[in-house]
Amino acid sequence: MTSGTVGAALEASNQGTKSIAFSLQVEDQGDKFDDPRYHGQNFAAAKRIVRDIVTRVLTRGFCLNADVINVNIPSVVTGGYEVTRLARKLFCTGVEKRLDPRGRPYFWINGPLLADAEDGTDVHAIRRGNVSITPITLDCTAYAAEDETKKIFLE
């Protein structure tokens, strides 16, 4: 729920444009904010994967029951594609209050990344070196909680 990449893809889909969100795993979180001219990332595998996935979607069509295809590429790809579900958490979320140079407060989301998650999730696939492909829908309804919710609020 904190991914700007997936958020942008969801917003595009909400506006009628099905979307693919691509993210490349970054081992050192500090690299996200360093000068991009001096990075240690190798984008060769990611470029090949993006090209392949886009070609497949353009050739075969977008998944009918998905609004977004979320693709997570490990920093080092050692496996293949894995169709996954979202893990409950990617990192242990923390919020830190900071001050900008003018003394105004802002909030920085931080926290350590999880070492792994359950089998079948995007996080687990990445940890195994597989490219995670997760179909996402705009409908965030928790259908499994419908009966319990009715008991709480309608009985």
Side-chain angles (χ1 to χ4, degrees):
M1 295 298 164
T2 59
S3 170
T5 305
V6 174
L10 286 167
E11 186 58 34
S13 190
N14 192 41
Q15 299 298 319
T17 303
K18 302 264 187 164
S19 304
I20 305 173
F22 289 99
S23 298
L24 177 61
Q25 179 189 27
V26 176
E27 294 288 341
D28 180 352
Q29 296 300 301
D31 285 348
K32 292 180 179 180
F33 307 104
D34 290 341
D35 189 328
R37 294 174 294 178
Y38 307 105
H39 62 77
Q41 294 288 120
N42 181 345
F43 295 100
K47 285 173 23 180
R48 179 182 48 76
I49 290 163
V50 168
R51 184 178 296 115
D52 181 57
I53 288 175
V54 169
T55 299
R56 288 175 188 243
V57 170
L58 290 173
T59 302
R60 300 176 186 178
F62 202 91
C63 305
L64 292 178
N65 293 313
D67 297 304
V68 170
I69 298 171
N70 183 34
V71 179
N72 287 290
I73 304 167
S75 57
V76 178
V77 180
T78 58
Y81 293 163
E82 187 174 334
V83 176
T84 59
R85 68 183 188 281
L86 297 175
R88 303 275 304 169
K89 293 181 100 175
L90 173 59
F91 56 92
C92 298
T93 306
V95 178
E96 184 179 319
K97 183 177 181 180
R98 296 182 176 183
L99 298 177
D100 72 12
R102 293 189 176 105
R104 295 178 296 202
Y106 68 95
F107 296 90
W108 187 264
I109 298 173
N110 64 10
L113 291 171
L114 295 178
D116 205 349
E118 60 274 3
D119 190 31
T121 63
D122 52 352
V123 172
H124 187 69
I126 293 297
R127 297 293 185 254
R128 291 183 14 197
N130 291 333
V131 175
S132 165
I133 302 173
T134 309
I136 299 176
T137 179
L138 290 166
D139 183 355
C140 294
T141 305
Y143 293 103
E146 188 173 1
D147 289 339
E148 182 182 11
T149 305
K150 287 177 181 176
K151 287 179 185 174
I152 292 170
F153 296 104
L154 301 179
E155 292 181 2

